[in-house]
Amino acid sequence: MPADEPSAGEKSDIIRFGNKIDDRRQLKILVADDIEDNRTLIQLYLKHLPYRLDFARDGEEVIDSWRSRGPFDLILMDMHMPKVDGYQAVSKIREVERTEHLERTMIVALTASALKEDADRSVQAGCDRHLTKPITRESLQRAISDTVTEPTRAERGVGGPRPRVYIKRELEPLMANFIENRRSELDRLDQAVQAHDLSDIIRITHSIKGVAGTFGFARISELAQLVHDSAAEADMIKVRQSHANLREHWDRVEIVYS
């Protein structure tokens, strides 16, 4: 989008709200949709909230705005736009972030399809969440809040004394192999989460939750189940949060033989 402010009588595609709110408290959001009515509706839904909005009409404008006007806290991305579609735009943004070591921009996919296959495709392209049209004020505001808000350590229930797992003495000869195998699985899970590989995430966490439960690591099994379920829902926000909880618990747990 042009960087200059429009002259009198011209319509601006760049809409900013919350001018009376301290900029340090505003979220900077880029909204990408080729249909003017959809952009206007989002503008209405987010009116009076502490968000500063930029608008783009196709994937090319998204990439240009992200490069020239960023960083953005969030991009609301229609996945079906002319010229460059949302899938291509997201993939390009993720590629640049990786090669230039840029901080990750959170992206919510907006599509008219509620099919799981389309949600999976959005996540595979690099989106963090999938929101089905027609969107409501409540669903949009909830998606924004959930996507840009990361839980604190206290909210995740971590920190404090190290968690202990009491294992029967007869299992001690098996523990070295158990620990090594789980470490290997968790390393592969790290890679799968980084790559947004939902099928690998589901497969690995299915294995972790089963074996961990068998050996008496109930909390690890529960946390792996949460990652598994989040991946099954194609919700990468929940995947990353639950994966972080699983990783942190594993790194802190102590084994006590009884």
Side-chain angles (χ1 to χ4, degrees):
M1 306 298 289
D4 296 331
E5 292 293 330
S7 59
E10 290 182 334
K11 183 175 180 179
S12 173
D13 283 306
I14 302 168
I15 304 170
R16 295 183 175 88
F17 297 123
N19 292 332
K20 295 182 180 180
I21 300 176
D22 188 334
D23 281 346
R24 290 171 298 178
R25 296 175 52 209
Q26 290 182 314
L27 288 178
K28 190 175 181 183
I29 301 176
L30 176 60
V31 181
D33 200 303
D34 60 309
I35 299 176
E36 181 181 359
D37 288 342
N38 290 339
R39 300 197 303 269
T40 302
L41 184 63
I42 291 175
Q43 169 188 346
L44 176 65
Y45 283 167
L46 301 182
K47 192 174 184 179
H48 304 311
L49 294 174
Y51 305 147
R52 191 173 71 187
L53 304 185
D54 282 16
F55 278 58
R57 295 166 295 190
D58 58 56
E60 285 185 357
E61 291 184 355
V62 171
I63 296 170
D64 289 343
S65 295
W66 176 75
R67 289 292 259 171
S68 62
R69 296 174 178 272
F72 290 94
D73 297 292
L74 176 68
I75 299 177
L76 299 174
M77 182 83 75
D78 178 35
M79 304 309 288
H80 300 284
M81 294 184 292
K83 296 183 181 178
V84 175
D85 66 20
Y87 299 102
Q88 294 170 303
V90 174
S91 297
K92 180 62 177 179
I93 288 171
R94 296 305 185 215
E95 177 187 351
V96 174
E97 287 174 338
R98 286 192 299 269
T99 57
E100 299 186 12
H101 306 289
L102 301 178
E103 184 175 350
R104 182 185 179 87
T105 302
M106 307 304 284
I107 302 177
V108 173
L110 306 177
T111 74
S113 174
L115 295 176
K116 184 179 183 301
E117 291 79 3
D118 290 304
D120 290 348
R121 185 185 176 195
S122 299
V123 171
Q124 294 287 358
C127 294
D128 299 287
R129 189 179 292 273
H130 179 271
L131 190 59
T132 303
K133 296 178 180 179
I135 60 175
T136 65
R137 185 191 306 269
E138 292 74 19
S139 65
L140 177 61
Q141 293 179 4
R142 186 183 310 113
I144 293 173
S145 176
D146 290 347
T147 304
V148 299
T149 303
E150 291 290 336
T152 65
R153 288 169 57 88
E155 290 170 336
R156 296 201 311 264
V158 298
R162 286 181 175 272
R164 288 185 172 183
V165 177
Y166 292 86
I167 301 296
K168 292 186 179 298
R169 180 66 64 178
E170 57 261 32
L171 294 179
E172 184 175 2
L174 306 178
M175 292 311 299
N177 192 55
F178 168 85
I179 292 171
E180 182 60 32
N181 288 340
R182 300 298 77 70
R183 282 175 177 164
S184 177
E185 284 183 323
L186 285 167
D187 288 343
R188 295 200 304 274
L189 180 60
D190 293 344
Q191 296 170 3
V193 171
Q194 181 67 27
H196 283 212
D197 191 330
L198 294 172
S199 60
D200 252 11
I201 294 170
I202 291 171
R203 179 180 56 80
I204 295 168
T205 51
H206 177 77
S207 173
I208 292 174
K209 70 184 178 69
V211 179
T214 299
F215 274 75
F217 291 78
R219 182 57 178 160
I220 289 175
S221 181
E222 292 170 0
L223 292 171
Q225 180 71 58
L226 290 175
V227 183
H228 178 281
D229 293 348
S230 299
E233 296 170 3
D235 190 332
M236 283 304 300
I237 297 295
K238 290 182 180 178
V239 166
R240 281 198 295 273
Q241 291 172 355
S242 52
H243 168 250
N245 292 347
L246 172 60
R247 251 304 181 185
E248 187 151 7
H249 184 85
W250 171 266
D251 290 340
R252 299 180 66 252
V253 73
E254 292 180 339
I255 297 174
V256 179
Y257 294 106
S258 59

